[in-house]
Amino acid sequence: MKVLITGGAGFIGSALIRHLVAHTPHRIVNVDALTYAGNLESLESVTGEPRYAFEHLNICDAQGLARVFAQHKPDAVMHLAAESHVDRSIDGPSAFIQTNVVGTATLLEAARHYWLTLSPSARSAFRFHHISTDEVYGDLAGTTDLFTETTAYAPSSPYSASKAASDHLVRAWHRTYGLPTLITNCSNNYGPYHFPEKLIPLVILNALEGQPLPVYGAGLQVRDWLYVEDHARALQCVLETGVPGETYNIGGHNEQRNIDVVQSICTLLEELAPMHPARVAHYADLITHVTDRPGHDARYAIDAGKIGRELGWAPQETFASGLRKTVQWYLTHRTWCRRVQNGSYQRERLGLHDDAPCRH
Ligand code: NAD
């Protein structure tokens, strides 16, 4: 298969590309606008691989997309390009509407026009796989309830509302035009190459630098965590064996309170990096409670039974094994982290000098 992946320079997209190149014969075309979240240094292991090509392109660019579809003739699209950080969506929602809603509609139209040019057999084999989030379901009030594929959408943040809108567009393109779509809604991911604005990498790197470890409110929000390589395996499984028109929830069966995640990272660092930053006796002493995020959802938890029953996928990592691998990765990839933290991963791409300011 030739797979056109959008957002392949991001956290999950780069894990997916590394996984597909290492474990399948598929050819990959990575379409990415390289926003602050896109980092080609996360794809160094596949650069130069003949089965991998990169197209620097915004998914809102209809003409550019038409050219990419005509040139590369993909058998499938895996759509991950998005603005993905909830806090940024609260500060400035417009970019989220533009990329997540308008961009998805533009991509759907480009895919549909290309799909209509295919032979009947290629048309029925074609797949448009939309990668979404469990945040579209909103908040779970009860302590034992789980999101299923039929849970009503009730997004809380501009981010989750824009992702919910994109899911509806994809479903409509299937129902109205017959485009063979797949939708997956996944829980919180963590693992290597995660941009350090997100909780787990932020806590690891701040701890190593002796900086405060910010925890929203009392840290009692519950999230269901999935190791990113388990997500990549699930996405491959859905792409290859999922039924068009269907939605699959993906989750790790790993519900954790935010405060417990931060405590677990501190405990791992005590073992793996025992040289504390000078100011504190224990990493946990750096935990700092900060004002809660407006509209913060209390609990997400996903029922991933359908993908297990129907497609045979199950996560390989527990939270303990995945978190240990993640902490070890950040300890051994300090150059990648430093270049993200000081902005040089972007500066070189933009042709700026080392001392030029770089916008994040
Ligand atoms: P990310 O922010 O790390 O990466 C997003 C990528 O998309 C970047 O490479 C960026 O350059 C690119 N991009 C952004 N706007 C673009 C545009 N207009 N045109 C082309 N490329 C553009 O995101 P992520 O965490 O890897 O998430 C990937 C997808 O998975 C998103 O759709 C997100 O909603 C979904 N998701 C994420 C999580 C999670 O925990 N991170 C969980 C479930 C679902």
Side-chain angles (χ1 to χ4, degrees):
M1 252 198 271
K2 184 179 258 192
V3 187
L4 188 160
I5 295 179
T6 70
F11 167 49
I12 300 171
S14 66
L16 176 65
I17 291 176
R18 293 190 303 271
H19 170 78
L20 293 177
V21 168
H23 299 287
T24 75
H26 300 328
R27 287 164 294 155
I28 311 296
V29 181
N30 175 14
V31 170
D32 199 298
L34 298 180
T35 68
Y36 80 94
N39 186 351
L40 292 177
E41 294 175 23
S42 305
L43 288 165
E44 265 169 6
S45 63
V46 301
T47 310
E49 159 70 47
R51 288 188 291 128
Y52 169 76
F54 176 62
E55 291 280 357
H56 188 191
L57 187 71
N58 193 309
I59 57 163
C60 298
D61 176 352
Q63 276 189 347
L65 285 177
R67 198 257 314 148
V68 165
F69 274 97
Q71 182 180 329
H72 292 283
K73 300 184 176 26
D75 304 299
V77 173
M78 299 179 89
H79 175 35
L80 294 95
E83 288 292 339
S84 70
H85 190 43
V86 175
D87 289 342
R88 285 179 188 258
S89 83
I90 294 169
D91 293 342
S94 302
F96 287 72
I97 308 305
Q98 195 57 32
T99 286
N100 300 0
V101 185
V102 178
T104 298
T106 309
L107 182 67
L108 278 165
E109 273 301 80
R112 184 173 74 87
H113 287 299
Y114 160 75
W115 173 69
L116 287 170
T117 67
L118 299 176
S119 68
S121 61
R123 212 180 295 166
S124 74
F126 185 81
R127 295 288 181 270
F128 185 104
H129 180 172
H130 177 60
I131 284 76
S132 192
T133 165
D134 63 352
E135 299 195 28
V136 297
Y137 300 123
D139 214 3
L140 278 172
T143 51
T144 53
D145 300 348
L146 297 173
F147 298 130
T148 71
E149 287 79 359
T150 54
T151 300
Y153 277 31
S156 305
S157 70
Y159 163 66
S160 53
S162 67
K163 289 298 291 187
S166 67
D167 292 11
H168 291 316
L169 291 172
V170 173
R171 214 162 265 134
W173 259 244
H174 173 71
R175 182 79 192 258
T176 306
Y177 303 111
L179 189 70
T181 61
L182 298 157
I183 299 177
T184 47
N185 295 89
C186 187
S187 58
N188 273 26
N189 282 217
Y190 68 101
Y193 299 100
H194 206 180
F195 196 83
E197 65 184 351
K198 304 279 172 78
L199 179 70
I200 289 180
L202 179 80
V203 166
I204 297 170
L205 295 179
N206 276 15
L208 292 173
E209 288 165 7
Q211 301 293 325
L213 311 182
V215 172
Y216 280 128
L220 302 181
Q221 309 85 357
V222 174
R223 300 291 180 261
D224 178 355
W225 291 94
L226 181 69
Y227 192 62
V228 68
E229 291 173 17
D230 275 327
H231 191 189
R233 285 186 274 271
L235 295 178
Q236 179 198 349
C237 171
V238 171
L239 177 75
E240 292 175 354
T241 61
V243 177
E246 290 292 314
T247 292
Y248 300 91
N249 279 350
I250 305 172
H253 312 291
N254 278 315
E255 278 186 56
Q256 303 280 336
R257 300 186 310 176
N258 282 350
I259 187 69
D260 297 332
V261 170
V262 175
Q263 293 279 11
S264 301
I265 293 170
C266 291
T267 305
L268 276 167
L269 285 172
E270 297 291 347
E271 176 196 331
L272 299 171
M275 297 293 288
H276 292 110
R279 303 193 286 114
V280 292
H282 303 285
Y283 286 108
D285 297 342
L286 294 166
I287 293 174
T288 309
H289 294 273
V290 298
T291 310
D292 206 355
R293 172 193 278 167
H296 208 170
D297 289 331
R299 177 170 170 261
Y300 303 141
I302 207 149
D303 176 351
K306 177 177 172 182
I307 185 176
R309 273 190 317 276
E310 297 185 9
L311 308 184
W313 172 85
Q316 294 180 9
E317 300 292 343
T318 62
F319 189 65
S321 68
L323 193 63
R324 176 173 288 272
K325 282 185 179 177
T326 304
V327 171
Q328 279 166 333
W329 188 89
Y330 279 91
L331 287 171
T332 51
H333 289 77
R334 299 306 296 275
T335 307
W336 183 92
C337 301
R338 219 175 359 260
R339 289 175 59 74
V340 171
Q341 288 172 305
N342 68 21
S344 48
Y345 77 107
Q346 267 196 311
R347 266 199 290 272
E348 282 167 22
R349 187 169 77 213
L350 299 170
L352 300 174
H353 300 298
D354 254 6
D355 51 356
C358 189
R359 285 181 54 230
H360 263 218

